[in-house]
Amino acid sequence: QVQLLESGGGLEQAGGSLRLSCAASGRTFSSYAVGWLRQAPGKEREFLAAIIRGGGSAYYEDSVKGRFTISRDNAKNTAYLQLNSLKPEDTAVYSCAADLKLHNIVIGDPEVWGQGTLVNVSS
């Protein structure tokens, strides 16, 4: 099983950009689909994006299509989420997740979770 550690969160102004990283330990990272979910204060966790093991296909929640981009570098055991055109409503804890089945990430029930990184977008 892999372990995940996110980084790259912080305070950003509306309209700005951030790149989140998800560093995985273990030799089997390339066997896992990887995704990102977030949870805003007082709201349920929501799926954002996921990418298949080889990185050839990615899936996005409709509200972030065109603004967020998921990618991965299996040689570096790292996945990324590029956040562009940030809005105050993007403020949340962003968590990386991994599972052998991408579907489990989409439904919010992955095998592995990271600890999360806070993104705070000011207006």
Side-chain angles (χ1 to χ4, degrees), residues 5-90:
L5 182 63
E6 302 94 332
S7 62
L11 178 63
E12 183 59 66
Q13 292 185 335
S17 297
L18 286 171
R19 188 174 82 156
L20 307 182
S21 297
C22 173
S25 62
R27 296 176 292 176
T28 59
F29 176 70
S30 60
S31 299
Y32 287 81
V34 179
W36 291 88
L37 301 92
R38 71 183 178 187
Q39 187 165 21
K43 296 187 177 181
E44 293 187 354
R45 182 180 286 125
E46 66 172 330
F47 166 78
L48 298 175
I51 190 167
I52 64 172
R53 291 176 292 178
S57 295
Y59 302 87
Y60 296 92
E61 198 276 331
D62 287 344
S63 68
V64 303
K65 282 181 181 178
R67 293 197 302 126
F68 293 1
T69 302
I70 189 171
S71 61
R72 66 189 296 166
D73 185 339
N74 286 340
K76 295 182 178 179
N77 276 10
T78 303
Y80 306 96
L81 187 68
Q82 179 69 38
L83 315 177
N84 294 331
S85 303
L86 283 164
K87 306 174 182 179
E89 52 264 42
D90 292 320

